[in-house]
Amino acid sequence: AADKQKQISDAHCDGLIINAVEMREDDLSFFATCSLPFVLIDNSFQTHDVDCVAANNYQGASKAIRYFYSMGHRKIGYIKSKIQITSFTERFAAYKQQLKNLDVPFHPEYVIEVGYSEQEVAAAVSEYLKLHTPPTAFFADNDLLACFTIQALRTHGYAVPEDISMIGF
C-alpha cells in the first residue's frame, strides 16, 4: 500500500477519478487514507461517505425487462456473471423484481451463470444448451457478456435476434 501511495503522490495530481466498477468495499480504505480527493465512477458504495457518479443499474435493467415484455417475450433469461460486483447484483435484483411486477414467473433454469472470458461464456452456454431449451430473450449483466453469449448462441445455430433476443447493459 505504501508503494501505491508513493506512486500517487509522485504523479503530482490534484485528485483522482477512479473507474470503480469492479472495486470492492475493502479497496476504499486505501483511497480514504490517501491525501487526495477522489470520485468513484460506476460504483456507489451507498453505505460509505464517498463521492460517486453511478449508473442507475436498477432502472436500466428494469427498462430492459419491460421492453422485452412489450415485444411479447414471456420467457426472459439472464446471463449472470460469476463475478460479484454491486452493479451486477443491482441488475439481477431488478430483473427478478420486474418479472414479478409483470406477472412473469422467475425460472432459475433461465439463468446462465458465466465466467468473464469469451471461452468461459462459450463453455457455459454450450453446457446450458445441452440441458435446456433457451428462453426467447436474455438480459446480460453487461455488453461484453452479451456479445460473448451472442457468439456462443450463433455457434449452436441460433440467430440473434430472430430466435433469441439479447440486451446487454
mmCIF file of all heavy atoms in Angstrom, residues 5-6 17 22 31 34 39 42 44 48 59 64 68 96 98 107-108 111 115 119-120 138 141 159-160 164-165 167:
data_model
loop_
_atom_site.group_PDB
_atom_site.id
_atom_site.type_symbol
_atom_site.label_atom_id
_atom_site.label_comp_id
_atom_site.label_asym_id
_atom_site.label_seq_id
_atom_site.Cartn_x
_atom_site.Cartn_y
_atom_site.Cartn_z
ATOM 1 N N GLN A 5 0.740 4.446 -2.566
ATOM 2 C CA GLN A 5 0.541 5.828 -2.133
ATOM 3 C C GLN A 5 1.664 6.721 -2.632
ATOM 4 O O GLN A 5 1.427 7.850 -3.036
ATOM 5 C CB GLN A 5 0.407 5.900 -0.619
ATOM 6 C CG GLN A 5 -0.947 5.420 -0.149
ATOM 7 C CD GLN A 5 -1.176 5.609 1.330
ATOM 8 O OE1 GLN A 5 -0.233 5.667 2.110
ATOM 9 N NE2 GLN A 5 -2.436 5.693 1.711
ATOM 10 N N LYS A 6 2.892 6.211 -2.646
ATOM 11 C CA LYS A 6 4.019 6.984 -3.180
ATOM 12 C C LYS A 6 3.827 7.231 -4.669
ATOM 13 O O LYS A 6 4.070 8.328 -5.160
ATOM 14 C CB LYS A 6 5.343 6.268 -2.924
ATOM 15 C CG LYS A 6 6.555 7.039 -3.448
ATOM 16 C CD LYS A 6 7.838 6.387 -3.055
ATOM 17 C CE LYS A 6 9.080 7.025 -3.624
ATOM 18 N NZ LYS A 6 8.993 8.279 -4.294
ATOM 19 N N ILE A 17 -10.020 10.386 -10.337
ATOM 20 C CA ILE A 17 -11.279 9.886 -10.854
ATOM 21 C C ILE A 17 -11.040 8.399 -11.065
ATOM 22 O O ILE A 17 -10.190 8.008 -11.861
ATOM 23 C CB ILE A 17 -11.686 10.576 -12.171
ATOM 24 C CG1 ILE A 17 -11.868 12.075 -11.946
ATOM 25 C CG2 ILE A 17 -12.951 9.935 -12.734
ATOM 26 C CD1 ILE A 17 -12.101 12.868 -13.225
ATOM 27 N N GLU A 22 -15.441 -2.510 -10.669
ATOM 28 C CA GLU A 22 -15.100 -3.789 -10.042
ATOM 29 C C GLU A 22 -14.435 -3.604 -8.680
ATOM 30 O O GLU A 22 -13.894 -4.549 -8.118
ATOM 31 C CB GLU A 22 -14.220 -4.612 -10.976
ATOM 32 C CG GLU A 22 -14.958 -5.036 -12.240
ATOM 33 C CD GLU A 22 -14.159 -5.901 -13.179
ATOM 34 O OE1 GLU A 22 -13.125 -6.451 -12.762
ATOM 35 O OE2 GLU A 22 -14.568 -6.027 -14.346
ATOM 36 N N PHE A 31 -7.952 4.446 -0.544
ATOM 37 C CA PHE A 31 -8.187 5.787 -1.081
ATOM 38 C C PHE A 31 -8.615 6.759 0.013
ATOM 39 O O PHE A 31 -8.329 7.951 -0.070
ATOM 40 C CB PHE A 31 -9.195 5.741 -2.225
ATOM 41 C CG PHE A 31 -8.668 4.999 -3.420
ATOM 42 C CD1 PHE A 31 -9.080 3.711 -3.689
ATOM 43 C CD2 PHE A 31 -7.722 5.577 -4.246
ATOM 44 C CE1 PHE A 31 -8.577 3.013 -4.773
ATOM 45 C CE2 PHE A 31 -7.203 4.894 -5.333
ATOM 46 C CZ PHE A 31 -7.633 3.609 -5.591
ATOM 47 N N CYS A 34 -5.556 8.143 1.491
ATOM 48 C CA CYS A 34 -4.798 8.952 0.545
ATOM 49 C C CYS A 34 -5.162 10.424 0.775
ATOM 50 O O CYS A 34 -6.291 10.754 1.115
ATOM 51 C CB CYS A 34 -5.166 8.518 -0.876
ATOM 52 S SG CYS A 34 -4.201 9.283 -2.152
ATOM 53 N N VAL A 39 -13.237 10.711 -6.751
ATOM 54 C CA VAL A 39 -14.612 10.447 -7.167
ATOM 55 C C VAL A 39 -14.617 9.059 -7.802
ATOM 56 O O VAL A 39 -13.752 8.738 -8.614
ATOM 57 C CB VAL A 39 -15.116 11.487 -8.193
ATOM 58 C CG1 VAL A 39 -16.493 11.113 -8.722
ATOM 59 C CG2 VAL A 39 -15.119 12.875 -7.595
ATOM 60 N N ASP A 42 -19.203 4.640 -11.468
ATOM 61 C CA ASP A 42 -19.973 3.407 -11.637
ATOM 62 C C ASP A 42 -19.868 2.418 -10.478
ATOM 63 O O ASP A 42 -19.855 1.222 -10.671
ATOM 64 C CB ASP A 42 -19.630 2.716 -12.955
ATOM 65 C CG ASP A 42 -20.778 1.816 -13.419
ATOM 66 O OD1 ASP A 42 -21.914 2.025 -12.962
ATOM 67 O OD2 ASP A 42 -20.536 0.900 -14.211
ATOM 68 N N SER A 44 -21.425 2.945 -6.308
ATOM 69 C CA SER A 44 -21.883 3.978 -5.382
ATOM 70 C C SER A 44 -21.528 3.749 -3.922
ATOM 71 O O SER A 44 -21.528 4.682 -3.141
ATOM 72 C CB SER A 44 -23.398 4.149 -5.497
ATOM 73 O OG SER A 44 -24.058 2.942 -5.194
ATOM 74 N N HIS A 48 -21.209 4.133 2.446
ATOM 75 C CA HIS A 48 -19.995 4.890 2.760
ATOM 76 C C HIS A 48 -20.134 6.331 2.293
ATOM 77 O O HIS A 48 -20.837 6.614 1.327
ATOM 78 C CB HIS A 48 -18.776 4.254 2.083
ATOM 79 C CG HIS A 48 -18.479 2.871 2.574
ATOM 80 N ND1 HIS A 48 -17.727 2.638 3.688
ATOM 81 C CD2 HIS A 48 -18.856 1.654 2.111
ATOM 82 C CE1 HIS A 48 -17.640 1.332 3.889
ATOM 83 N NE2 HIS A 48 -18.331 0.716 2.943
ATOM 84 N N GLN A 59 -32.827 0.854 -12.569
ATOM 85 C CA GLN A 59 -33.719 1.416 -13.574
ATOM 86 C C GLN A 59 -33.389 0.889 -14.968
ATOM 87 O O GLN A 59 -34.281 0.535 -15.735
ATOM 88 C CB GLN A 59 -33.639 2.938 -13.560
ATOM 89 C CG GLN A 59 -34.577 3.601 -14.557
ATOM 90 C CD GLN A 59 -34.404 5.099 -14.579
ATOM 91 O OE1 GLN A 59 -33.310 5.587 -14.823
ATOM 92 N NE2 GLN A 59 -35.474 5.815 -14.296
ATOM 93 N N ALA A 64 -35.077 -2.634 -19.525
ATOM 94 C CA ALA A 64 -34.779 -3.699 -20.492
ATOM 95 C C ALA A 64 -35.791 -4.827 -20.381
ATOM 96 O O ALA A 64 -36.309 -5.321 -21.398
ATOM 97 C CB ALA A 64 -33.358 -4.227 -20.263
ATOM 98 N N PHE A 68 -38.505 -6.082 -23.255
ATOM 99 C CA PHE A 68 -38.723 -7.460 -23.704
ATOM 100 C C PHE A 68 -40.200 -7.826 -23.609
ATOM 101 O O PHE A 68 -40.775 -8.394 -24.531
ATOM 102 C CB PHE A 68 -37.915 -8.453 -22.854
ATOM 103 C CG PHE A 68 -36.474 -8.622 -23.253
ATOM 104 C CD1 PHE A 68 -35.530 -8.924 -22.280
ATOM 105 C CD2 PHE A 68 -36.053 -8.535 -24.566
ATOM 106 C CE1 PHE A 68 -34.203 -9.122 -22.620
ATOM 107 C CE2 PHE A 68 -34.723 -8.728 -24.923
ATOM 108 C CZ PHE A 68 -33.797 -9.024 -23.941
ATOM 109 N N LYS A 96 -35.318 -9.770 -11.472
ATOM 110 C CA LYS A 96 -36.280 -10.601 -10.737
ATOM 111 C C LYS A 96 -37.510 -9.800 -10.316
ATOM 112 O O LYS A 96 -38.644 -10.278 -10.418
ATOM 113 C CB LYS A 96 -35.598 -11.255 -9.530
ATOM 114 C CG LYS A 96 -34.570 -12.290 -9.970
ATOM 115 C CD LYS A 96 -34.089 -13.257 -8.913
ATOM 116 C CE LYS A 96 -33.876 -12.731 -7.566
ATOM 117 N NZ LYS A 96 -33.293 -13.728 -6.644
ATOM 118 N N GLN A 98 -38.766 -7.063 -11.782
ATOM 119 C CA GLN A 98 -39.592 -6.718 -12.940
ATOM 120 C C GLN A 98 -40.387 -7.908 -13.433
ATOM 121 O O GLN A 98 -41.545 -7.765 -13.841
ATOM 122 C CB GLN A 98 -38.756 -6.122 -14.067
ATOM 123 C CG GLN A 98 -38.352 -4.693 -13.822
ATOM 124 C CD GLN A 98 -39.533 -3.810 -13.463
ATOM 125 O OE1 GLN A 98 -40.530 -3.726 -14.178
ATOM 126 N NE2 GLN A 98 -39.446 -3.155 -12.311
ATOM 127 N N HIS A 107 -37.838 -18.202 -13.520
ATOM 128 C CA HIS A 107 -37.399 -19.585 -13.709
ATOM 129 C C HIS A 107 -35.882 -19.640 -13.519
ATOM 130 O O HIS A 107 -35.142 -19.121 -14.368
ATOM 131 C CB HIS A 107 -37.750 -20.086 -15.115
ATOM 132 C CG HIS A 107 -39.208 -20.226 -15.362
ATOM 133 N ND1 HIS A 107 -39.941 -21.279 -14.863
ATOM 134 C CD2 HIS A 107 -40.080 -19.447 -16.052
ATOM 135 C CE1 HIS A 107 -41.196 -21.151 -15.233
ATOM 136 N NE2 HIS A 107 -41.319 -20.043 -15.949
ATOM 137 N N PRO A 108 -35.396 -20.247 -12.439
ATOM 138 C CA PRO A 108 -33.944 -20.344 -12.235
ATOM 139 C C PRO A 108 -33.227 -20.988 -13.427
ATOM 140 O O PRO A 108 -32.078 -20.655 -13.709
ATOM 141 C CB PRO A 108 -33.809 -21.202 -10.979
ATOM 142 C CG PRO A 108 -35.098 -21.074 -10.272
ATOM 143 C CD PRO A 108 -36.144 -20.868 -11.332
ATOM 144 N N VAL A 111 -31.501 -18.785 -16.063
ATOM 145 C CA VAL A 111 -30.312 -18.021 -15.676
ATOM 146 C C VAL A 111 -29.081 -18.848 -16.010
ATOM 147 O O VAL A 111 -28.944 -19.997 -15.565
ATOM 148 C CB VAL A 111 -30.324 -17.678 -14.174
ATOM 149 C CG1 VAL A 111 -29.051 -16.935 -13.773
ATOM 150 C CG2 VAL A 111 -31.570 -16.860 -13.832
ATOM 151 N N GLY A 115 -18.509 -17.330 -16.583
ATOM 152 C CA GLY A 115 -17.250 -16.669 -16.251
ATOM 153 C C GLY A 115 -17.139 -15.396 -17.068
ATOM 154 O O GLY A 115 -18.071 -15.026 -17.798
ATOM 155 N N GLN A 119 -14.117 -17.626 -23.660
ATOM 156 C CA GLN A 119 -14.096 -19.083 -23.577
ATOM 157 C C GLN A 119 -15.019 -19.586 -22.456
ATOM 158 O O GLN A 119 -15.719 -20.589 -22.626
ATOM 159 C CB GLN A 119 -12.673 -19.603 -23.348
ATOM 160 C CG GLN A 119 -11.716 -19.333 -24.494
ATOM 161 C CD GLN A 119 -11.193 -17.892 -24.535
ATOM 162 O OE1 GLN A 119 -11.299 -17.144 -23.567
ATOM 163 N NE2 GLN A 119 -10.666 -17.496 -25.678
ATOM 164 N N GLU A 120 -15.019 -18.901 -21.323
ATOM 165 C CA GLU A 120 -15.868 -19.309 -20.206
ATOM 166 C C GLU A 120 -17.351 -19.148 -20.544
ATOM 167 O O GLU A 120 -18.180 -19.995 -20.187
ATOM 168 C CB GLU A 120 -15.534 -18.516 -18.946
ATOM 169 C CG GLU A 120 -14.180 -18.865 -18.350
ATOM 170 C CD GLU A 120 -13.778 -17.927 -17.232
ATOM 171 O OE1 GLU A 120 -13.808 -16.684 -17.455
ATOM 172 O OE2 GLU A 120 -13.446 -18.420 -16.144
ATOM 173 N N PHE A 138 -32.690 -12.903 -23.553
ATOM 174 C CA PHE A 138 -31.745 -12.854 -22.447
ATOM 175 C C PHE A 138 -31.339 -11.409 -22.175
ATOM 176 O O PHE A 138 -31.075 -10.647 -23.110
ATOM 177 C CB PHE A 138 -30.454 -13.623 -22.757
ATOM 178 C CG PHE A 138 -30.521 -15.095 -22.573
ATOM 179 C CD1 PHE A 138 -30.498 -15.941 -23.675
ATOM 180 C CD2 PHE A 138 -30.566 -15.661 -21.305
ATOM 181 C CE1 PHE A 138 -30.541 -17.321 -23.521
ATOM 182 C CE2 PHE A 138 -30.604 -17.032 -21.134
ATOM 183 C CZ PHE A 138 -30.589 -17.869 -22.242
ATOM 184 N N ASP A 141 -25.597 -9.174 -17.764
ATOM 185 C CA ASP A 141 -25.014 -8.250 -16.783
ATOM 186 C C ASP A 141 -24.298 -7.077 -17.443
ATOM 187 O O ASP A 141 -24.307 -5.971 -16.919
ATOM 188 C CB ASP A 141 -24.024 -8.982 -15.875
ATOM 189 C CG ASP A 141 -24.676 -9.545 -14.629
ATOM 190 O OD1 ASP A 141 -25.687 -8.988 -14.179
ATOM 191 O OD2 ASP A 141 -24.138 -10.530 -14.085
ATOM 192 N N ALA A 159 -30.110 -17.823 -34.272
ATOM 193 C CA ALA A 159 -29.968 -16.486 -34.854
ATOM 194 C C ALA A 159 -30.390 -15.460 -33.799
ATOM 195 O O ALA A 159 -31.394 -15.641 -33.118
ATOM 196 C CB ALA A 159 -30.842 -16.360 -36.096
ATOM 197 N N VAL A 160 -29.596 -14.422 -33.685
ATOM 198 C CA VAL A 160 -29.899 -13.320 -32.758
ATOM 199 C C VAL A 160 -30.072 -12.075 -33.615
ATOM 200 O O VAL A 160 -29.176 -11.739 -34.384
ATOM 201 C CB VAL A 160 -28.762 -13.125 -31.736
ATOM 202 C CG1 VAL A 160 -29.055 -11.953 -30.814
ATOM 203 C CG2 VAL A 160 -28.542 -14.404 -30.923
ATOM 204 N N ILE A 164 -33.500 -15.654 -30.646
ATOM 205 C CA ILE A 164 -33.328 -15.232 -29.251
ATOM 206 C C ILE A 164 -32.912 -13.771 -29.237
ATOM 207 O O ILE A 164 -31.938 -13.392 -29.889
ATOM 208 C CB ILE A 164 -32.258 -16.088 -28.526
ATOM 209 C CG1 ILE A 164 -32.665 -17.563 -28.531
ATOM 210 C CG2 ILE A 164 -32.047 -15.589 -27.108
ATOM 211 C CD1 ILE A 164 -31.604 -18.494 -27.974
ATOM 212 N N SER A 165 -33.653 -12.955 -28.519
ATOM 213 C CA SER A 165 -33.300 -11.538 -28.374
ATOM 214 C C SER A 165 -32.292 -11.374 -27.252
ATOM 215 O O SER A 165 -32.272 -12.161 -26.312
ATOM 216 C CB SER A 165 -34.550 -10.708 -28.089
ATOM 217 O OG SER A 165 -35.428 -10.745 -29.193
ATOM 218 N N ILE A 167 -30.252 -8.281 -24.759
ATOM 219 C CA ILE A 167 -29.934 -6.920 -24.323
ATOM 220 C C ILE A 167 -28.806 -7.026 -23.305
ATOM 221 O O ILE A 167 -28.888 -7.800 -22.369
ATOM 222 C CB ILE A 167 -31.130 -6.195 -23.679
ATOM 223 C CG1 ILE A 167 -32.270 -6.001 -24.667
ATOM 224 C CG2 ILE A 167 -30.684 -4.840 -23.095
ATOM 225 C CD1 ILE A 167 -33.528 -5.368 -24.064
#
